[in-house]
Amino acid sequence: MKPILWKSSFRYFLHHPWQLCLSILGVALGVGIVVSIDLTNESAKRSFALSVESLTGRATHQITGISGDLPETVYTQLRVEEGMRNSAPLVEGTLSLPDYPGTSFRILGIDPFAERPFRGYLNSIQSNPRFLPNFVGNTRGILISSETAAFLKLKEKEFLKVNNGEQIVRLQVVGILELADSLQNRILNNVLIADIAAAQEILGKAGFLSQINLMLPQGPARQKMLKRIEEILPFGAKVQTTSDRISSADKLTRSFHLNLTALSLLTLIVGVFLIYNTMTFSVVQRHSILGRLRALGMLRSELFILLLSEAFLVGSIGTLLGLGMGILLAQGLISLITQTINDLYYTVSVNQIDIPLLSVLKAVLLGIVSSLGAALIPAREAACIEPGIVIRRSSREESYRHLLPWLSAVGMGLLGLTGFLLWISSHDLIIVYIAVFVMVLGFALLMPIITVLLVNLASPLMQFLFKSPGILAARGVKTELSRTSVAIAALMVAIATSVGVGIMVESFRHAVVHWLTSSLQADIYLTSTVLTSQRTPTFLAPDFIEKASGLPGVKYVGTLRQTNVRTGEESMRLTAFNLPLPEQQIFRFKSVREERIWEKFQNEDITLISEPLSYRLNLDVGDSVPIQTPLGPRLFLVLGIFYDYGREKGYASISQNNYEKYWQDDRIHSIALYLEPGTPKQALISALKKLPEHSKDLLIRSNEHLIEYSIQVFDRTFAITRILRLLVVGVAFIGVLSALMALELEKQRELGVLRVVGLTPLQLWGVVMGQCGLMGVVSGITAFPIGYLLSQILIHVINKRSFGWTFQTIIPPEIWWQGFFLGLIAALFAGIYPAYKMARIAPADALREE
Amino acid sequence: MKQTSLLKGILLTSLLALFVAAVFALFHDEDRSKKPRRSLSVSETLSGDSKGFAQALVPRPFKFPDDHGAHPEFRNEWWYFTGNLKTPEGRHFGYQFTLFRTSLSNQTISSPSQWASRQIYMGHLAVTDSQAKKYFHFERFSRAAIDLAGARAHPFHVWLENWFVSSRGNSFFPLTIQASEGDLSLLLNLTSEKQKVLQGIQGLSKKGHQPGNASYYYSFTRLKSEGQLFLDGIKYELEGLSWMDREWSSSVLEAQQSGWDWFAVQLSNGWELMYYQLRLKNGKTDSTSSGVLVSPKGQSFRLEHHQVALKILDTWTSSSTGIRYPSQWELKVPDRQISLTLTPRLAEQEFESSFTYWEGAVQVQGLFQNKAVRGEAYVELTGYTKADP
């Protein structure tokens, strides 16, 4: 390779720094978004695994109880009667730190004597080897890792304030764990290790354990021990392997991760378009220089390699920047994701982004390979420049036009493939996501032909509205199809994604709000457990219920009891309720067997199940569900399936009568008060709080409050999708900008001619902006139906298969114009700089040929 | 045309990029190598501050069966059983079974959680298989909470999870000891051939010069024992003699003391001899060292430290801890014309744990009032360190 080639390349970029920057930015943005989503996903997953590990240590099995609580006597039985030494009790929960708002810490209550085999790190107390006397039985002592100590700026013997949801408790650091191992440090991030006595007391779990960890030997001995354990377990408790436990909890978030991955895949499509555009741009601008170099004797292969090398360099720099951007972005996204996971699934604390090698490799591949791939066509194009001959775009556009039917055919083929994939996908979500990807790609390939059709339709209107600049703009879009269609497709994909996800989220939100308002019809809810905290649900005192029902203004009282039960091999949530007859309309049934179910429901073995449960266990109206009760298995007939969006694993409901009959237990978790019309709620709430039986444990909330809270959680959950939608559009914007710049700069001579023949700078603005606007409009219009299709797949396929619930599509009115204007405005903005640049050039300069 | 060099360049650059990426990723994983672990120093909980605890200052009238149970107002307490047993074929096994209680604090905590207990139980179980020259030992801990461990005076029952010693009926004897761990399981029934011996001055045994550095101490020096040992799937029927020590105190080693040697000898002529020697850091013997001599009829005679001459005949260095222990002694009580040679059944009877000491079955022979005598003993050696001779 001759140095002159490198020099020419170097000088070119030196004189066009903007262009170099745009190219690099394009690659960086594409890589950045994909990387950030990938990293966020991976970090959330990993932190989940770590938080499980922080619970289980080296345990092979866990014993867990019903509703997360196990009577501690099980442990005594295991140790004293069965002599099972490789067992350790654990009490865990979440606390917030009043001095660090927004941070939640997990408290792990352990018995250090039993815990040693499970957690190596307990042996690494460096600063105070004599921590034990201060730890065992101390209800206010904690151990923290040195990293956590540094984060909280705590030293030994100092105090930390925590809030258990009820009161603020001061805990004292009795030891600091110096962990050489970074993994162990991570496991103990945001973890307070306390004595089991402290955890029980602070979490209000006296007498209960969260779980018992077991380390069972391999082989037949294990089976024997498991059998023995199962014999002594109380009703509802179960023993399961650590890996089962991880995978069952992991399944919960899998769909959430998949949703994010789908978004990142769509971003990837936009990103590749972007890279293609920027690479094309740099080649297009240098056609004449490259032609001259050929005339000077450069070989085609030399030019080809030169351009690929450039692409490689731009790709490498962009990828590196993208990696950095992605990591920064991921740090912003992770808190959103963590919040969602904490709201919906379980408590995790992620304050570190993991950078798995695989993610880095993916990014490098994406950035460099797609830069090279995207540069292939322009590089080939450049290499084919005849020496000294000014390139004729028209001929290339001609050949692109010949390609058009083929592109369209492939596009149609991909759409067909989408249908086929959706058809065969059944429960496999990954295939559904591939189908989404293929569908979007298919539509992108159809964009050139759609563009031609739409521009043909729009031309008369453009002419009518903007006279000759209008028609010039319209024809420009059509004649430069190889450039414009790529930009339009990128913009379309971005907007369609935004529209599709927007419709899905809005529809879901609508369904949730509707469900909340119809199911929370009582005026005041009293519950002994806090929804967001992990305190053991206690029961309402019967005296209190009686007094509360007797308060003036209370019309009816409904009661609720929750528990976990086993049905076959599966476990499910069971709620038992007793509602005053006129208020039973709170259930919105998807299907119901007969009209008069309520009388039967009270006394017969009847159950009503939520839609997700019916999907998960494949149950329909008329089927019978076997439910394990303390009196043995009982068959309950499914009489109705109701809509529910609160519990993705679903639940079944039976009457309180039946519950008391089979479970021999009449305790109540919460009650709902229906008031006489006109009774002031606040006054009644104060009256409730003044009752002598009222305890601090009790949570009294009005239905408005509950609905508001639930919607807040919902909105937090989808905050990340909103941000990603914006990012996707942002990427598309850069894409359109660089595509338009390429286009307009390429047309410099052409526009120069127009200027010479009398086009004023203002009219030139008109042509450029008209062209951009038209492209934006085309993207906006086509994005809507495609986005709609996407939303239907999200709603009817992905949501149903992930969560088992269905809801109706609601198209919020603003979506109609949002997408359209998004496209239009993005395109118009992108046109400003090229228009400004073109309008400023003197016609003579534009025409000059050196 | 230097195309190859360009290709090389591209290749090199991409390799470099991959390398950077790999380093980057690896850097974030850091090293997961394990650091040597420090042991969870439970033994340190057994020493330390005795402030606020009851102290053994003056002799007290013992009250039974209550005194068989725990005395939580004192810091430390133990139920100590050692014994030499034989199969019908004469194969010798030694055992040690001890349940220790330690109070972490004299203050009780009021908490809804039952786990808020400051009473810790430690169990030591050791078996010496003299013929196979094997020594097995196990340690465990638990707090006295939710019935995991505890002591009850009547009916007598002291337990640490599934290790326990308890009365079989309403009276204290016969006792049953049951302890198993892994492939080892010991089940013994003990009956006493003699009445209990109050050690020291009416059961107050001085362990130092400061007031309160003393314990309440009584022993059953000759317990007829029979039972079974299961070892690696083989069952051994055993018979022999055991020794039980009961001691509680809040005392600590004094600054100049380095440890103690304890000898419990059961002679073939029906006599028993107990002697504990408190060692000073300067190599001399603390004058509070003392012992007891028990006649076949159960009369006990106190032995002052100047009445006993103890000579170390040999030493043994533990290969795993590097600690050097005495491993053969000559024990003389000139006043009583007793001269005994004590030889461990096995040198390797070091109880390596959070609180490492040597405790083992020892064979005895010598002269008792000019008559040849044989016997079995258990010896405990504490406070030895690597530097000690």
Side-chain angles (χ1 to χ4, degrees):
Chain A
M1 178 80 68
K2 297 182 178 69
I4 185 170
L5 275 180
W6 288 115
K7 267 191 194 154
S8 108
S9 180
F10 177 71
R11 305 289 305 177
Y12 167 75
F13 281 119
L14 198 67
H15 282 110
H16 299 83
W18 272 104
Q19 200 164 317
L20 184 66
C21 286
L22 267 181
S23 314
I24 291 173
L25 187 69
V27 179
L29 268 176
V31 171
I33 290 194
V34 173
V35 164
S36 70
I37 292 183
D38 203 37
L39 291 184
T40 320
N41 260 345
E42 288 302 316
S43 305
K45 245 193 241 170
R46 188 153 160 74
S47 79
F48 170 67
L50 287 175
S51 69
V52 170
E53 198 175 330
S54 77
L55 285 184
T56 60
R58 302 192 191 106
T60 59
H61 291 71
Q62 276 84 45
I63 301 176
T64 47
I66 214 155
S67 318
D69 283 310
L70 196 63
E72 64 192 7
T73 47
V74 177
Y75 180 67
T76 310
Q77 222 174 339
L78 214 60
R79 283 250 167 180
V80 178
E81 277 155 46
E82 305 300 324
M84 288 192 191
R85 299 264 306 147
N86 280 329
S87 52
L90 186 78
V91 175
E92 62 107 9
T94 312
L95 301 169
S96 59
L97 305 189
D99 294 336
Y100 298 83
T103 347
S104 67
F105 265 61
R106 177 189 283 256
I107 181 167
L108 292 188
I110 59 159
D111 176 31
F113 300 125
E115 202 61 33
R116 279 172 79 186
F118 291 85
R119 285 162 217 267
Y121 55 75
L122 279 182
N123 291 324
S124 46
I125 314 237
Q126 301 285 355
S127 65
N128 182 4
R130 295 192 44 191
F131 82 100
L132 256 177
N134 298 324
F135 185 78
V136 176
N138 181 352
T139 54
R140 292 292 180 269
I142 47 168
L143 299 174
I144 49 177
S145 72
S146 50
E147 277 191 11
T148 306
F151 170 72
L152 296 173
K153 299 182 194 69
L154 278 179
K155 289 194 195 69
E156 215 180 297
K157 296 197 175 132
E158 291 184 338
F159 289 90
L160 173 70
K161 277 193 250 171
V162 298
N163 186 342
N164 63 4
E166 247 182 33
Q167 56 179 10
I168 288 174
V169 181
R170 260 160 49 103
L171 302 178
Q172 189 181 25
V173 179
V174 297
I176 290 175
L177 299 153
E178 297 285 347
L179 304 166
D181 189 318
S182 73
L183 184 75
Q184 291 191 336
N185 250 319
R186 298 265 329 261
I187 291 174
L188 290 187
N189 256 334
N190 294 17
V191 169
L192 310 174
I193 297 179
D195 187 62
I196 191 161
Q200 280 193 340
E201 184 177 323
I202 295 164
L203 299 168
K205 286 190 176 182
F208 291 95
L209 305 175
S210 304
Q211 65 187 61
I212 297 173
N213 285 325
L214 299 169
M215 233 189 303
L216 299 182
Q218 297 286 343
R222 170 177 287 186
Q223 289 315 313
K224 226 175 101 189
M225 287 174 105
L226 279 175
K227 204 165 158 259
R228 198 65 207 106
I229 292 168
E230 284 186 353
E231 277 165 23
I232 63 163
L233 284 186
F235 176 75
K238 61 177 172 178
V239 53
Q240 60 184 143
T241 65
T242 303
S243 50
D244 272 357
R245 182 122 188 266
I246 293 178
S247 70
S248 68
D250 194 34
K251 261 183 220 149
L252 286 180
T253 43
R254 209 173 56 113
S255 35
F256 181 69
H257 289 314
L258 272 174
N259 270 323
L260 287 182
T261 310
L263 265 176
S264 88
L265 276 179
L266 292 173
T267 322
L268 184 116
I269 300 185
V270 178
V272 170
F273 277 126
L274 196 55
I275 293 166
Y276 172 77
N277 259 333
T278 49
M279 293 322 295
T280 314
F281 182 35
S282 79
V283 173
V284 162
Q285 266 239 300
R286 277 181 291 168
H287 267 150
S288 58
I289 300 171
L290 298 174
R292 241 161 266 145
L293 284 171
R294 284 280 284 125
L296 287 174
M298 300 303 152
L299 294 175
R300 278 182 183 180
S301 57
E302 281 176 308
L303 276 184
F304 186 67
I305 288 171
L306 175 77
L307 289 169
L308 279 193
S309 313
E310 276 178 13
F312 178 77
L313 273 177
V314 167
S316 305
I317 299 170
T319 302
L320 277 181
L321 277 176
L323 267 174
M325 269 174 50
I327 292 165
L328 284 179
L329 201 57
Q331 258 144 14
L333 295 179
I334 195 79
S335 64
L336 278 173
I337 289 193
T338 310
Q339 181 66 55
T340 302
I341 294 175
N342 287 351
D343 281 343
L344 297 183
Y345 304 100
Y346 42 72
T347 314
V348 289
S349 48
V350 194
N351 41 22
Q352 197 178 341
I353 293 290
D354 274 299
I355 303 174
L357 188 57
L358 196 68
S359 295
V360 174
L361 283 181
K362 261 194 256 175
V364 169
L365 267 181
L366 168 68
I368 296 177
V369 172
S370 56
S371 301
L372 286 175
L376 265 181
I377 299 169
R380 216 187 116 255
E381 198 178 289
C384 294
I385 295 171
E386 286 305 313
I389 290 180
V390 178
I391 195 73
R392 289 200 323 271
R393 272 232 47 160
S394 57
S395 65
R396 272 182 301 111
E397 283 302 335
E398 202 61 42
S399 61
Y400 185 72
R401 222 167 259 272
H402 286 310
L403 262 179
L404 216 54
W406 293 107
L407 281 178
S408 310
V410 173
M412 292 304 289
L414 287 180
L415 291 185
L417 181 61
T418 307
F420 175 73
L421 285 175
L422 285 178
W423 182 60
I424 60 157
S425 61
S426 71
H427 270 67
D428 195 344
L429 273 184
I430 298 204
I431 297 184
V432 180
Y433 283 113
I434 294 173
V436 169
F437 192 81
V438 169
M439 180 187 86
V440 171
L441 213 63
F443 277 117
L445 289 180
L446 283 177
M447 273 327 278
I449 195 135
I450 293 174
T451 306
V452 171
L453 289 174
L454 282 178
V455 169
N456 281 345
L457 280 174
S459 292
L461 189 70
M462 291 290 283
Q463 189 171 17
F464 175 74
L465 285 178
F466 306 108
K467 307 289 179 283
S468 50
I471 197 80
L472 277 171
R475 294 221 176 117
V477 174
K478 220 165 62 178
T479 52
E480 317 283 340
L481 202 57
S482 71
R483 307 277 180 252
T484 56
S485 63
V486 174
I488 291 172
L491 197 55
M492 180 280 289
V493 171
I495 297 169
T497 307
S498 175
V499 166
V501 175
I503 292 178
M504 189 274 284
V505 173
E506 272 310 310
S507 308
F508 191 20
R509 193 176 192 277
H510 189 268
V512 167
V513 171
H514 186 64
W515 164 72
L516 282 172
T517 45
S518 68
S519 57
L520 296 176
Q521 276 183 356
D523 298 287
I524 295 171
Y525 289 85
L526 293 99
T527 163
S528 59
T529 94
V530 188
L531 249 154
T532 48
S533 96
Q534 298 178 7
R535 293 179 67 85
T536 308
T538 44
F539 299 99
L540 296 176
D543 283 0
F544 179 76
I545 299 177
E546 202 175 306
K547 292 245 171 76
S549 339
L551 286 175
V554 176
K555 195 171 166 197
Y556 307 113
V557 176
T559 67
L560 182 82
R561 169 67 198 256
Q562 299 193 357
T563 189
N564 285 327
V565 293
R566 212 54 69 72
T567 166
E569 286 299 296
E570 303 274 342
S571 91
M572 71 175 180
R573 173 58 63 116
L574 182 77
T575 64
F577 65 87
N578 185 19
L579 280 181
L581 264 175
E583 305 297 343
Q584 281 160 348
Q585 310 319 321
I586 62 164
F587 285 93
R588 272 177 60 239
F589 286 105
K590 188 184 179 194
S591 58
V592 67
R593 190 158 175 196
E594 48 198 279
E595 284 304 304
R596 296 165 54 82
I597 57 169
W598 291 107
E599 282 146 52
K600 282 189 172 182
F601 180 76
Q602 285 301 323
N603 302 306
E604 290 176 34
D605 288 354
I606 297 295
T607 181
L608 304 172
I609 63 172
S610 74
E611 189 191 18
L613 187 75
S614 97
Y615 183 79
R616 181 163 73 96
L617 300 183
N618 201 14
L619 289 171
D620 211 338
V621 167
D623 291 345
S624 285
V625 206
I627 297 177
Q628 280 292 336
T629 79
L631 300 183
R634 282 282 182 281
L635 277 181
F636 285 83
L637 181 70
V638 177
L639 266 199
I641 297 171
F642 54 89
Y643 289 104
D644 179 87
Y645 304 103
R647 208 163 253 286
E648 61 189 63
K649 293 188 94 178
Y651 69 97
S653 284
I654 60 168
S655 69
Q656 179 69 21
N657 274 354
N658 271 332
Y659 187 79
E660 285 174 24
K661 189 164 87 193
Y662 293 120
W663 274 261
Q664 314 266 300
D665 180 358
D666 59 358
R667 290 171 302 172
I668 300 292
H669 276 129
S670 40
I671 56 174
L673 301 181
Y674 295 81
L675 305 186
E676 298 282 0
T679 314
K681 284 181 194 174
Q682 272 316 316
L684 204 91
I685 289 177
S686 333
L688 282 167
K689 285 185 175 162
K690 280 188 202 125
L691 287 177
E693 287 81 3
H694 169 257
S695 82
K696 283 183 302 174
D697 277 330
L698 202 64
L699 204 70
I700 306 178
R701 286 184 294 195
S702 66
N703 54 346
E704 290 92 353
H705 181 124
L706 263 177
I707 292 172
E708 192 187 327
Y709 170 78
S710 310
I711 293 174
Q712 262 175 22
V713 170
F714 181 91
D715 286 343
R716 270 211 297 266
T717 308
F718 285 100
I720 180 147
T721 37
R722 204 162 306 144
I723 288 177
L724 287 177
R725 276 166 68 191
L726 279 179
L727 282 174
V728 170
V729 174
V731 172
F733 173 72
I734 304 273
V736 175
L737 177 69
S738 60
L740 283 175
M741 277 177 73
L743 199 65
E744 301 304 330
L745 292 174
E746 200 179 30
K747 281 172 39 172
Q748 195 165 321
R749 259 178 70 84
E750 190 184 320
L751 292 170
V753 172
L754 288 173
R755 284 293 310 282
V756 171
V757 296
L759 206 68
T760 63
L762 194 69
Q763 280 173 318
L764 190 94
W765 268 89
V767 172
V768 176
M769 296 311 274
Q771 196 170 7
C772 293
L774 195 60
M775 287 166 70
V777 168
V778 170
S779 319
I781 288 177
T782 45
F784 189 80
I786 296 165
Y788 181 79
L789 267 177
L790 197 62
S791 76
Q792 294 308 295
I793 296 179
L794 286 171
I795 292 172
H796 296 294
V797 185
I798 291 177
N799 257 289
K800 168 129 193 189
R801 289 179 195 176
S802 306
F803 308 109
W805 50 53
T806 53
F807 45 87
Q808 294 201 321
T809 308
I810 302 289
I811 302 174
E814 66 273 16
I815 291 259
W816 287 102
W817 52 264
Q818 258 179 6
F820 180 81
F821 281 102
L822 204 65
L824 185 62
I825 290 167
L828 285 178
F829 260 96
I832 290 176
Y833 179 71
Y836 165 80
K837 214 175 158 207
M838 296 319 301
R840 263 179 44 148
I841 291 179
D845 284 345
L847 283 175
R848 188 148 57 207
E849 265 288 0
E850 302 287 317
Chain B
M1 188 86 5
K2 289 180 191 162
Q3 264 190 24
T4 46
S5 67
L6 176 77
L7 279 173
K8 263 189 212 158
I10 292 175
L11 201 66
L12 269 176
T13 322
S14 43
L15 278 177
L16 195 74
L18 279 177
F19 175 74
V20 170
V23 168
F24 192 60
L26 283 177
F27 174 74
H28 262 265
D29 252 329
E30 281 172 34
D31 70 316
R32 294 187 187 175
S33 60
K34 297 239 158 67
K35 237 185 131 176
R37 288 190 180 122
R38 273 183 84 130
S39 89
L40 195 72
S41 65
V42 183
S43 68
E44 303 196 35
T45 68
L46 296 176
S47 61
D49 202 4
S50 63
K51 225 164 49 185
F53 289 102
Q55 296 198 311
L57 296 167
V58 289
R60 73 196 284 272
F62 286 88
K63 245 175 77 186
F64 294 103
D66 292 3
D67 278 331
H68 290 312
H71 301 83
E73 65 277 16
F74 289 85
R75 225 168 61 96
N76 300 323
E77 179 157 21
W78 54 69
W79 294 260
Y80 219 116
F81 296 85
T82 50
N84 287 282
L85 309 166
K86 278 181 179 150
T87 62
E89 296 78 40
R91 179 168 175 179
H92 174 268
F93 287 95
Y95 83 91
Q96 176 210 344
F97 175 70
T98 318
L99 293 174
F100 300 86
R101 179 193 61 78
T102 299
S103 186
L104 295 178
S105 156
N106 60 320
Q107 280 149 12
T108 49
I109 299 164
S110 105
S111 169
S113 171
Q114 275 210 55
W115 293 82
S117 156
R118 313 302 314 260
Q119 301 289 323
I120 308 296
Y121 279 73
M122 172 169 84
H124 279 186
L125 170 69
V127 167
T128 306
D129 180 351
S130 319
Q131 185 180 309
K133 298 208 179 306
K134 277 187 180 159
Y135 177 70
F136 308 90
H137 63 286
F138 308 98
E139 178 184 52
R140 59 170 61 174
F141 294 91
S142 180
R143 73 184 85 185
I146 68 163
D147 291 337
L148 290 169
R152 193 179 59 207
H154 187 77
F156 177 70
H157 183 55
V158 185
W159 76 101
L160 202 180
E161 295 170 356
N162 63 342
W163 289 4
F164 65 85
V165 49
S166 52
S167 295
R168 296 181 71 180
N170 259 335
S171 57
F172 186 65
F173 286 106
L175 289 174
T176 297
I177 288 175
Q178 193 175 315
S180 54
E181 182 103 22
D183 290 331
L184 186 149
S185 172
L186 184 68
L187 177 67
L188 292 175
N189 290 313
L190 314 176
T191 44
S192 185
E193 299 196 336
K194 291 183 186 175
Q195 62 183 37
K196 68 178 83 57
V197 173
L198 299 183
Q199 303 278 15
I201 303 153
Q202 292 159 25
L204 178 78
S205 169
K206 292 200 75 158
K207 298 287 155 62
H209 300 276
Q210 285 156 23
N213 270 347
S215 66
Y216 293 113
Y217 183 5
Y218 64 86
S219 310
F220 288 97
T221 55
R222 192 167 285 252
L223 299 172
K224 199 168 162 298
S225 315
E226 49 91 21
Q228 290 104 39
L229 170 73
F230 294 85
L231 192 56
D232 292 329
I234 302 169
K235 179 178 169 184
Y236 301 93
E237 294 288 346
L238 298 173
E239 249 182 48
L241 289 180
S242 298
W243 180 296
M244 174 190 178
D245 264 0
R246 272 284 286 138
E247 204 166 356
W248 61 92
S249 74
S250 301
S251 69
V252 290
L253 280 180
E254 291 178 351
Q256 73 278 13
Q257 295 172 334
S258 62
W260 69 80
D261 303 339
W262 174 84
F263 301 85
V265 181
Q266 292 162 323
L267 294 171
S268 51
N269 60 7
W271 286 77
E272 291 94 39
L273 185 152
M274 187 283 287
Y275 180 65
Y276 66 86
Q277 175 174 287
L278 286 156
R279 299 191 315 279
L280 296 177
K281 283 179 181 157
N282 62 11
K284 294 191 174 140
T285 306
D286 196 306
S287 58
T288 56
S289 306
S290 73
V292 76
L293 203 57
V294 184
S295 76
K297 288 192 170 156
Q299 282 173 290
S300 55
F301 307 94
R302 190 171 149 76
L303 292 174
E304 298 291 340
H305 115 274
H306 59 81
Q307 295 175 279
V308 181
L310 189 69
K311 199 169 132 193
I312 294 168
L313 302 179
D314 200 359
T315 60
W316 168 76
T317 305
S318 159
S319 56
S320 67
T321 61
I323 298 174
R324 199 156 122 202
Y325 297 96
S327 69
Q328 199 181 29
W329 304 263
E330 184 187 69
L331 193 153
K332 283 183 173 172
V333 187
D335 294 357
R336 301 255 172 192
Q337 296 167 296
I338 300 172
S339 168
L340 305 171
T341 307
L342 286 74
T343 314
R345 290 271 183 179
L346 189 69
E348 291 88 1
Q349 298 187 82
E350 185 185 35
F351 201 108
E352 213 186 315
S353 63
S354 53
F355 177 68
T356 296
Y357 58 102
W358 191 96
E359 172 126 13
V362 169
Q363 243 177 334
V364 181
Q365 55 186 15
L367 292 170
F368 194 99
Q369 290 161 355
N370 296 321
K371 283 185 196 149
V373 73
R374 303 172 60 81
E376 307 277 359
Y378 247 83
V379 173
E380 178 181 272
L381 310 167
T382 70
Y384 286 91
T385 58
K386 272 190 191 179
D388 275 310

